[in-house]
Amino acid sequence: MNYEESQKILEEIKKANKILINCHRGPDSDSVGSALGLSNILETMGKEIVVICPSEIPNDLRFLPGSQKIRRIDYANFNFKEYDLFLAIDSSSFSMVTGSRESRQPGGIDIIVIDHHFSNEGFGKINLIDSKATSTGELLFNVFEDWNVVIDADTANCLLTGVIGDTGCFMYQNVGEDTLKIAAKLISLGADKDNIVYNIYRNINFSELKIWGKIIENMQIDKENRFVWSIIPIAIYKDFIGIENIKEDAANLFFPIVKDTDFGIIMEERENGELSASFRSRSGFDVSKIAKEVGGGGHKAAAGARIEGLCFSDAVEKVLAAARKYAKKN
Ligand SMILES: [Mn+2]
């Protein structure tokens, strides 16, 4: 048994017929892969599953079997009463589930939280939170072992997509023996590692590449505080509305690789003056401390935050001040 919560969760699932599984706002490989993997397993148990998301599913994740059945919904107008159970996965808070500041949970339906963010608020009736797991994909593999269910090739592909996405293709420092063993088992169950890497990492639009060029051009270094940062102004942001996760992709690729730094920050200006920031660690430095300081959250290696209610330049200064507060001085 990997988790004591596994059986309790299974009991709740057995009692339910119609079950909701979510993909969080701005869904990434782990969110979509985990939701579809869990959906597959529960469908083989005879459950009626609906996977819901407040955002569009990125095109580069459309290769995953079952991705076409994910329903984009507006949480404010969704009728939860038609369902028996809500499995909130890979989401540290209910506002990450809904994609809005509105964090009131729907009445009349039990929520079970399955997640690996250590900042998880534990907003469910049952909360299975394992912050040692690299990804919800890895965590679900352990849960499926506890449930003693057969993992088919489609499910193995979905889970490995989550693991690969949330480990930066096994590069992040949280990857060790356990994760690699699970990845090996998923491959032996039929997951196609090369196809996943091809779809996630070798599938970049030429126009996206050009925008990365601008982001790199705007990159600045704070030598004393050992970090790099870059801003995507609204004028550029408008150019790439419709290209999903461009900020996160750039953050993963370019912000943890700069010599003589500990971390990088990318800050995007949104329509309403909102700032959306992504933090990436290079050296093992815990960037979630900075994200938390400005109202966000995440992992040691990768974190994020949104700031509303300030003008963009003030919001940028707020993030930089938080970064300098925690930075290791040169
Ligand atoms: Mn995740």
Side-chain angles (χ1 to χ4, degrees):
M1 177 66 68
N2 292 295
Y3 303 116
E4 57 172 313
E5 293 90 349
S6 295
Q7 293 310 318
K8 280 189 226 159
I9 292 172
L10 185 58
E11 280 162 29
E12 294 294 324
I13 287 168
K14 280 181 178 165
K15 281 191 272 176
N17 288 315
K18 291 182 79 176
I19 300 176
L20 292 168
I21 299 172
N22 82 303
C23 294
H24 61 66
R25 68 161 142 75
D28 57 13
S29 312
D30 191 32
S31 172
V32 178
S34 299
L36 294 175
L38 181 57
S39 169
N40 285 342
I41 294 294
L42 299 189
E43 277 172 357
T44 62
M45 294 179 182
K47 303 299 173 183
E48 192 182 322
I49 307 298
V50 176
V51 182
I52 54 175
C53 184
S55 322
E56 270 307 309
I57 301 304
N59 281 327
D60 61 1
L61 295 172
R62 294 273 176 199
F63 77 98
L64 285 172
S67 59
Q68 71 288 341
K69 71 184 176 189
I70 300 173
R71 274 175 57 189
R72 186 173 179 180
I73 65 140
D74 175 4
Y75 274 82
N77 298 310
F78 190 75
N79 187 8
F80 288 91
K81 290 202 178 76
E82 290 179 20
Y83 299 89
D84 305 318
L85 188 63
F86 186 3
L87 303 176
I89 65 168
D90 198 42
S91 307
S92 60
S93 64
F94 200 68
S95 63
M96 189 168 172
V97 171
T98 63
S100 78
R101 291 277 164 186
E102 174 59 69
S103 58
R104 204 168 357 136
Q105 290 176 213
I109 187 166
D110 284 334
I111 296 179
I112 291 175
V113 169
I114 301 175
D115 186 31
H116 69 119
H117 295 87
F118 73 79
S119 57
N120 193 296
E121 294 167 359
F123 54 95
K125 179 186 173 186
I126 302 172
N127 300 288
L128 170 45
I129 297 154
D130 178 6
S131 60
K132 289 201 186 78
T134 58
S135 49
T136 300
E138 178 178 331
L139 196 166
L140 282 176
F141 178 86
N142 292 328
V143 172
F144 297 161
E145 270 196 337
D146 290 344
W147 291 351
N148 215 2
V149 292
V150 176
I151 298 176
D152 58 285
D154 278 357
T155 303
N157 267 305
C158 290
L159 298 187
L160 189 61
T161 298
V163 176
I164 287 177
D166 263 15
T167 59
C169 225
F170 305 108
M171 274 202 293
Y172 298 165
Q173 290 184 337
N174 56 356
V175 175
E177 201 181 334
D178 289 349
T179 305
L180 293 172
K181 276 183 180 159
I182 287 171
K185 284 183 195 166
L186 290 170
I187 289 169
S188 73
L189 290 164
D192 185 343
K193 184 266 286 172
D194 295 338
N195 188 47
I196 295 167
V197 170
Y198 175 82
N199 277 284
I200 299 181
Y201 293 102
R202 299 189 176 164
N203 211 2
I204 310 299
N205 284 316
F206 189 69
S207 54
E208 183 171 356
L209 207 69
K210 289 293 190 185
I211 295 163
W212 287 349
K214 291 184 188 177
I215 293 170
I216 292 171
E217 206 175 280
N218 287 346
M219 196 192 271
Q220 302 194 46
I221 188 160
D222 183 331
K223 285 187 178 162
E224 190 197 340
N225 292 292
R226 296 177 56 82
F227 70 92
V228 284
W229 56 283
S230 186
I231 283 171
I232 311 177
I234 190 82
I236 298 178
Y237 174 68
K238 276 187 174 159
D239 286 349
F240 66 77
I241 289 177
I243 306 177
E244 309 91 346
N245 288 332
I246 195 162
K247 175 169 63 73
E248 284 73 17
D249 290 345
N252 290 334
L253 284 165
F254 308 119
F255 287 75
I257 64 168
V258 185
K259 196 174 177 182
D260 298 326
T261 67
D262 292 315
F263 61 94
I265 310 169
I266 181 164
M267 290 172 273
E268 183 178 272
E269 182 182 13
R270 297 279 177 84
E271 287 278 334
N272 49 7
E274 184 185 330
L275 178 150
S276 172
S278 293
F279 305 86
R280 293 294 183 275
S281 173
R282 169 174 178 253
S283 57
F285 178 92
D286 180 2
V287 290
S288 73
K289 288 188 290 192
I290 305 171
K292 262 194 181 158
E293 176 86 10
V294 295
H299 310 286
K300 280 185 178 175
R306 287 179 178 196
I307 299 177
E308 284 171 332
L310 288 178
C311 76
F312 184 68
S313 57
D314 286 352
V316 168
E317 284 311 314
K318 186 176 174 176
V319 172
L320 293 176
R324 287 170 185 140
K325 178 177 169 184
Y326 289 102
K328 284 182 255 166
K329 308 279 178 222
N330 233 346

